[in-house]
């Protein structure tokens, strides 16, 4: 059994398509098919079945994938640790983040860090609350910015970095758009532009509306802050967004109004696996972040 076979197997399992896997691996489709066939012959099992134009993992294929992913992750970590041991200033940090923190916060802290550590590389992964925790637990990333910060979790731990206020965003010209602050109850008859169910900002807004005594009417749903902001600016409804998601300047910009009664906030933290020590360079970045936000 060769390392290449395992790498090809994981790529095909993720893409569910030999041609797409071969394109990402920059090899011929026949080479991928041959390696998968040889792997199945050596194991004596069928790892994939054809389903339409795609390949689907068999039950034993799913079991094998869960083990192989762990092996490849451990191998990658071992290689990175050797490189860091030889020269920590040229290591790689694997970090995850939600979209709302990728607009301003992540580029800001990375830029500040690289001023004193210019040789360090970053591998970035965007995800939702649940997917970021899963990727940290599986060891696919070292650190993750996350919101809300999980106060208690069996597999991850970390530090609270900040509490961020959420603002109401309204179409320009809305009756409330010129107010300095509003009560959330004043939006009870409005159509809301809301995040999809897997995004934590949705639950934060729903809980705030419940505290204000109403259930919001949801007219549109989206998955990124710039989509939410653009729909509101186009007059499709109202919403609540974190302040950091409202820093971008564009032609289509909604009005921003502070919300009181209740004030709406979210916690932002940094997590890592609780069972393992961070790689050297990731530990350096973690300490930098704690100092960075402590001085804010």
């Amino acid at each position: 059994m060769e390392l290449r076979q395992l790498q090809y197997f994981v790529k095909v399992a993720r893409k569910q398509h030999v041609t797409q896997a071969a394109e990402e691996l920059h090899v011929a489709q026949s080479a991928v098919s041959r390696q998968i066939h040889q792997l199945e012959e050596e194991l004596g099992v069928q790892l994939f079945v054809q389903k339409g134009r795609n390949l689907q993992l068999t039950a034993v294929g799913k079991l094998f994938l869960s083990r192989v992913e762990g092996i490849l992750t451990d191998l990658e970590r071992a290689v990175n640790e050797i490189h860091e041991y030889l020269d920590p200033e040229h290591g790689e940090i694997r970090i995850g983040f939600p979209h709302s923190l990728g607009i301003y916060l992540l580029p800001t802290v990375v830029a500040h860090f690289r001023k004193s550590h210019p040789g360090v590389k970053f591998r970035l992964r965007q995800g939702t609350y649940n997917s970021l925790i899963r990727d940290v637990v599986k060891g696919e990333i070292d650190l993750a910015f996350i919101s809300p910060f999980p106060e208690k979790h069996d597999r991850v731990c970390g530090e609270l970095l900040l509490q961020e206020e959420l603002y109401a965003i309204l179409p320009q010209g809305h009756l409330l758009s010129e107010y300095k602050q509003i009560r959330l109850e004043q939006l009870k008859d409005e159509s809301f532009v809301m995040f999809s169910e897997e995004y934590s900002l949705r639950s934060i807004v729903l809980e705030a509306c419940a505290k204000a005594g109403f259930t919001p009417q949801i007219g549109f749903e989206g998955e990124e802050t710039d989509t939410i902001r653009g729909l509101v600016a186009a007059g499709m409804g109202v919403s609540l967004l974190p302040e950091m998601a409202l820093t971008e300047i564009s032609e289509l910009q909604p009005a921003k109004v502070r919300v009181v009664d209740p004030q709406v906030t979210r916690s932002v933290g940094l997590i890592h696996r609780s069972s393992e020590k961070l790689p050297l360079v990731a530990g350096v970045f973690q300490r930098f972040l704690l100092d960075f936000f402590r001085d804010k």
Side-chain angles (χ1 to χ4, degrees):
M1 189 177 301
E2 299 178 1
L3 176 61
R4 178 172 54 183
Q5 291 175 331
L6 300 181
Q7 292 171 330
Y8 286 11
F9 164 69
V10 170
K11 184 63 70 173
V12 173
R14 289 176 176 172
K15 303 302 294 186
Q16 297 186 338
H17 203 285
V18 172
T19 301
Q20 293 177 11
E23 289 174 354
E24 288 202 8
L25 291 164
H26 304 292
V27 297
Q29 178 180 338
S30 59
V32 175
S33 297
R34 183 170 59 254
Q35 293 294 335
I36 296 297
H37 179 67
Q38 291 175 357
L39 181 61
E40 289 181 323
E41 281 196 334
E42 183 172 349
L43 292 171
V45 297
Q46 187 176 8
L47 297 171
F48 296 98
V49 292
Q50 193 77 36
K51 187 173 183 180
R53 296 183 177 180
N54 293 335
L55 290 177
Q56 189 175 65
L57 284 167
T58 61
V60 70
K62 292 178 181 178
L63 174 63
F64 190 58
L65 176 65
S66 67
R67 298 299 188 186
V68 171
E69 285 182 321
I71 291 169
L72 294 180
T73 297
D74 287 342
L75 177 61
E76 182 182 22
R77 186 183 299 115
V79 172
N80 287 336
E81 286 175 353
I82 291 173
H83 291 163
E84 290 173 13
Y85 179 80
L86 296 173
D87 187 359
E89 287 301 319
H90 288 82
E92 180 182 74
I93 299 169
R94 303 173 304 163
I95 187 164
F97 63 97
H99 177 266
S100 60
L101 297 180
I103 299 169
Y104 173 77
L105 184 144
L106 184 67
T108 299
V109 296
V110 168
H112 277 78
F113 181 76
R114 283 178 58 85
K115 288 179 182 178
S116 53
H117 305 276
V120 173
K121 297 178 181 178
F122 283 83
R123 188 187 303 184
L124 307 176
R125 178 176 294 191
Q126 183 177 310
T128 62
Y129 180 87
N130 289 327
S131 71
L132 290 171
I133 290 182
R134 182 190 65 233
D135 291 345
V136 169
V137 169
K138 292 174 67 176
E140 295 186 359
I141 53 179
D142 305 310
L143 297 163
F145 288 108
I146 197 162
S147 177
F149 176 64
E151 296 289 347
K152 293 183 179 180
H153 195 280
D154 292 338
R155 307 290 297 278
V156 302
C157 60
E159 301 80 22
L160 177 66
L161 298 178
L162 60 97
Q163 290 280 353
E164 183 183 20
E165 189 173 355
L166 271 66
Y167 284 77
I169 57 171
L170 315 166
Q172 296 288 349
H174 189 282
L175 290 175
L176 302 175
S177 62
E178 298 298 325
Y179 283 48
K180 289 185 177 180
Q181 63 183 36
I182 60 172
R183 301 187 317 281
L184 188 55
E185 180 191 15
Q186 292 174 265
L187 300 179
K188 66 179 181 179
D189 295 325
E190 302 285 346
S191 176
F192 273 70
V193 182
M194 195 76 76
F195 278 93
S196 302
E197 290 186 357
E198 63 267 31
Y199 289 85
S200 58
L201 279 171
R202 179 188 179 101
S203 60
I204 291 174
V205 173
L206 289 175
E207 287 176 12
C209 291
K211 287 182 180 179
F214 71 97
T215 300
Q217 305 169 35
I218 301 174
F220 293 88
E221 293 186 3
E223 296 185 352
E224 295 190 347
T225 52
D226 45 0
T227 301
I228 304 291
R229 188 175 58 240
L231 287 169
V232 171
M236 299 294 104
V238 304
S239 191
L240 273 69
L241 284 181
E243 187 172 15
M244 275 188 284
L246 299 172
T247 56
E248 186 177 329
I249 303 295
S250 64
E251 293 183 6
L252 204 60
Q253 194 73 4
K256 165 185 162 183
V257 182
R258 175 167 272 114
V259 175
V260 296
D261 192 23
Q263 184 183 46
V264 189
T265 63
R266 68 166 177 173
S267 58
V268 177
L270 184 72
I271 60 170
H272 57 89
R273 280 211 287 185
S274 54
S275 59
E276 290 186 10
K277 185 178 179 180
L278 281 170
L280 288 174
V281 67
V284 172
F285 187 56
Q286 178 198 40
R287 291 189 292 274
F288 163 81
L289 290 172
L290 295 179
D291 291 339
F292 181 88
F293 287 99
R294 190 178 296 119
D295 295 338
K296 290 295 181 181

